[in-house]
Amino acid sequence: MRLVLLGPPGAGKGTQASAIVKKYNIPHISTGDIFRENIKQGTELGKKAKEYIDKGLLVPDDIVVSIVKDRILEEDCKNGFLLDGFPRTLNQGEALDDELSQMNLKLDKVININVEKEVLIERTIGRRICKDCGATYHIKFNPPVKEGICDNCGGKLYQRDDDTQETIEKRIEVYQKQTKPLIDYYTKKGLILNVDGTKKISEIFDEIVEALEG
Ligand code: ADP
Ligand code: AMP
C-alpha cells in the first residue's frame, strides 16, 4: 500500500502514521523526522534544514524531493510506504508522481486530516516527543503515564523548537498557501480520503482502516 498523509501541522499525521505503519507493516517516511535526525547528528543537511524549520518555512523543494526519491527506492519500500508530511507543495506532488510513474507505481490513497486552526495551536504547543524513539504525546490530550517519560521506551520527552505559538502560526500560514492546493490536486485524481481529525485518536484510526479496506 502506498499512502500519503496530508494535513496542517498538528493535525495528527504522525500519530496516525505510527498506528497505520504498524498495522500494514510498511515504512513510515516522515520528512520532518528525517530533518530532525539530521539536525541532531549535526549533518550539513541538518544545518541547512534548520535555517528554514526554525522560521516555520518549508525546506526548498529540491532538497526534500531528492531525499524522498532516494528513500522510496530502498528495499523496504518495495511493498509500499507511508509518506508523512510529504508532499507539501504542488511541485513536490508532481515530482512524486513523476518518480512513481517511472517506477510503474502509483499512490493508493491520500489521507487528508482536517482540524481547525485553534485546535492545531493547542495541539502543537502541548506536543511532546520522545528523544529516543520519537513517540508523540500531548500533555493534555495524550499524556504519558509518567510525566516527561516515554511509555514505550522510558526515554525523556522534549518539546520541539518549532512548536512555539509564533512559529506554529507561521507554519499554518505556510500550509494554507503552499500545501492546501494539494487537496484539490489529489481530489481530482480521486485519491483523497477526508477524515475529521478532531475525533479521538482511535476513532480516526478505525475510520482510516475501514476506508482503506472497504
Ligand atoms: P502532525 O504530525 O500532523 O504535526 P502529531 O501527530 O504530532 O501531528 O499530533 C500533534 C499533537 O496532537 C500531538 O501532541 C498529539 O499527541 C496530539 N494529537 C494527535 N491526534 C490527536 C487527536 N485526535 N486528538 C487529540 N490530540 C491529538
Ligand atoms: P513536520 O515534522 O512534518 O511538522 O515538519 C517539520 C518542518 O520540517 C516543517 O515545518 C518544514 O520546515 C520541514 N519539512 C518537513 N517536511 C517538509 C516538506 N515535505 N517540504 C518542505 N519542508 C518540510
Side-chain angles (χ1 to χ4, degrees), residues 31-32 35-36 53 57-59 64 85-86 88 92 160:
T31 40
F35 291 135
R36 279 184 290 280
I53 294 175
L57 301 174
L58 295 183
V59 175
V64 196
F86 180 94
R88 255 178 159 104
Q92 293 178 18
R160 278 169 49 172

Side-chain angles (χ1 to χ4, degrees), residues 152-165:
N152 295 344
C153 74
K156 265 197 181 156
L157 304 186
Y158 77 98
Q159 184 170 17
R160 278 169 49 172
D161 290 344
D162 59 344
D163 278 347
T164 61
Q165 175 100 23

